[in-house]
């Protein structure tokens, strides 16, 4: 038996008896234990790395993806919820002093100058024109006529509504103003057919120092444009007063011709657009209908029946 064999046996015996191993044996065991611990430590590290990688992937395709999708849906919903209004039918207006033919002017204001007096105007938004006629027959008396045509166009706006709805409110306001003129007598109102989308004639008598005036106001809405025709006449210096019926028909003729001029100014395709819903839905007049303070005031000044009556004096 060799010396090495005897040494290994002795070591086994010592281990069996519980004796501590020799330094060589102890070193070998320590080396094996070190390898086991290193391997054991490597396992949880790999698990941790694998777990982190798996979590990161889930986050990108799970909660992170959901948040991104949710944000996209919110943006889309916000965009679709933005208020929109239908564009106004008419985009322009004709020159107020050119809306009536010479023949019509000859019938309404026979002694008027060839060109009317242009009032406050803003291209494409508002305009007005007036004509005065005095047929002086000396001692036999005189016949006076005064005509004013005003136009006001409304643009659609998200805060104020469609141009048609705003025009309808202004239309109602104009009628109310014509019906409440101070000093007016025998005030009557009646619908006018075949003129624009909706039209009303308001007539009344107004006594002034020069004579008795017969006032006729025709208010018409055609889509997003309001046309107001003021026409009055009087017999002066003892001449008899004109017929209110005749004056009313002439004022209606002027309103119809002006509406045609508005349609023509916006092209043939705009002459007969689909009827707007505002005419049927409008009820009470509203002073907030005008697109801004200045246009409505200017239009009221040019179209107001009270101003028209005052002009005749």
């Amino acid at each position: 038996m060799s010396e090495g064999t005897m040494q290994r046996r002795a070591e086994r015996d010592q281990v069996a008896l519980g004796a501590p191993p020799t330094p060589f044996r102890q070193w070998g065991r320590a080396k094996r234990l070190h390898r086991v611990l290193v391997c054991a430590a490597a396992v949880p590290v790999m698990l941790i790395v694998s777990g982190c990688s798996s979590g990161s992937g889930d986050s990108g395709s799970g909660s992170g993806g959901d948040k991104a999708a949710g944000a996209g849906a919110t943006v889309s919903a916000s965009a679709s919820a933005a208020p929109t209004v239908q564009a106004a039918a008419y985009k322009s207006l004709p020159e107020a002093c050119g809306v009536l033919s010479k023949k019509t002017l000859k019938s309404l204001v026979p002694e008027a100058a060839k060109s009317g007096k242009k009032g406050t105007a803003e291209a494409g938004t508002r305009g007005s024109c007036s004509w005065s006629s005095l047929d002086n027959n000396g001692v036999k008396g005189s016949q006076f006529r005064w005509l004013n045509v005003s136009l006001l166009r409304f643009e659609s706006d998200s805060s104020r509504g469609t141009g048609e709805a705003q025009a309808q409110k202004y239309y109602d306001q104009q009628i109310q103003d014509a019906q409440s003129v101070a000093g007016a007598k025998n005030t009557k109102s009646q619908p006018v057919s075949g003129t624009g989308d909706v039209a009303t004639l308001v007539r009344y008598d107004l006594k002034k120092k020069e004579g008795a005036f017969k006032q006729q106001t025709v208010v018409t809405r055609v889509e997003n444009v309001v046309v107001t025709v003021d026409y009055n006449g009087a017999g002066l210096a003892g001449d008899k007063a004109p017929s209110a019926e005749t004056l009313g028909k002439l004022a209606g003729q002027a309103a119809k011709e002006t509406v045609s001029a508005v349609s023509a100014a916006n092209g043939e395709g705009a002459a007969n657009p689909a009827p707007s819903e505002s005419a049927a839905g409008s009820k009470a007049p509203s002073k907030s209908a005008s697109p801004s303070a200045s246009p409505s005031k200017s239009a009221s000044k040019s179209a107001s029946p009270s101003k028209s009556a005052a002009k005749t004096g």
Side-chain angles (χ1 to χ4, degrees):
M1 183 180 294
S2 66
E3 182 178 354
T5 303
M6 293 177 62
Q7 184 178 355
R8 288 194 292 274
R9 178 179 291 180
E11 288 177 354
R12 287 199 294 271
D13 293 343
Q14 288 177 353
V15 170
L17 296 174
T22 62
F24 176 81
R25 181 68 176 176
Q26 189 173 13
W27 175 83
R29 293 181 60 188
K31 186 173 181 180
R32 288 194 298 275
L33 179 60
H34 175 72
R35 286 199 299 269
V36 171
L37 291 176
V38 169
C39 292
V43 172
V45 169
M46 292 175 65
L47 291 175
I48 292 172
V49 172
S50 176
C52 293
S53 300
S54 176
S56 299
D58 292 343
S59 176
S61 61
S63 61
D66 293 342
K67 289 180 180 179
T74 302
V75 172
S76 177
S78 300
S80 62
T84 58
V85 292
Q86 183 178 1
Y90 291 151
K91 300 297 183 183
S92 62
L93 291 176
E95 288 292 333
C97 289
V99 295
L100 301 178
S101 66
K102 292 181 179 179
K103 182 179 179 180
T104 299
L105 288 173
K106 188 67 176 177
S107 299
L108 276 76
V109 282
E111 302 300 323
K114 293 183 179 180
S115 59
K117 182 180 179 181
K118 187 176 181 180
T120 302
E122 184 178 342
T125 301
R126 65 173 185 258
S128 66
C129 193
S130 61
W131 297 261
S132 294
S133 172
L134 179 62
D135 184 8
N136 191 345
N137 296 312
V139 295
K140 293 182 180 181
S142 302
Q143 286 292 319
F144 176 80
R145 301 290 186 272
W146 186 77
L147 171 67
N148 185 83
V149 176
S150 71
L151 306 95
L152 184 62
R153 186 183 68 85
F154 294 82
E155 192 61 66
S156 296
D157 183 89
S158 59
S159 62
R160 291 187 294 267
T162 65
E164 286 80 0
Q166 295 178 66
Q168 180 65 33
K169 291 179 181 180
Y170 184 72
Y171 165 86
D172 293 335
Q173 178 185 326
Q174 287 288 85
I175 295 173
Q176 187 178 49
D177 289 346
Q179 293 171 336
S180 57
V181 173
K185 303 292 184 181
N186 304 318
T187 302
K188 297 178 181 179
S189 300
Q190 64 186 63
V192 178
S193 61
T195 305
D197 293 324
V198 60
T200 299
L201 166 65
V202 179
R203 63 172 49 160
Y204 56 84
D205 299 334
L206 191 64
K207 183 71 174 179
K208 298 179 71 68
K209 63 180 181 179
E210 295 86 356
F213 289 83
K214 302 288 185 178
Q215 172 70 34
Q216 315 292 314
T217 299
V218 179
V219 185
T220 306
R221 181 187 67 80
V222 53
E223 291 297 338
N224 56 310
V225 175
V226 176
V227 172
T228 304
V229 173
D230 282 308
Y231 184 52
N232 62 49
L236 307 179
D239 204 352
K240 65 179 181 180
S243 166
E245 291 294 331
T246 300
L247 294 180
K249 289 180 181 179
L250 290 172
Q253 178 184 341
K256 189 172 184 177
E257 195 167 316
T258 303
V259 168
S260 296
V262 171
S263 297
N266 287 274
E268 295 180 358
N272 294 299
S276 60
E277 299 178 357
S278 57
S282 175
K283 293 182 180 180
S286 171
K287 292 186 178 181
S288 62
S290 56
S292 64
S294 55
S296 61
K297 289 182 179 178
S298 299
S300 297
K301 287 181 180 179
S302 62
S304 172
S306 59
K307 295 294 183 182
S308 303
K311 184 73 175 180
T312 63

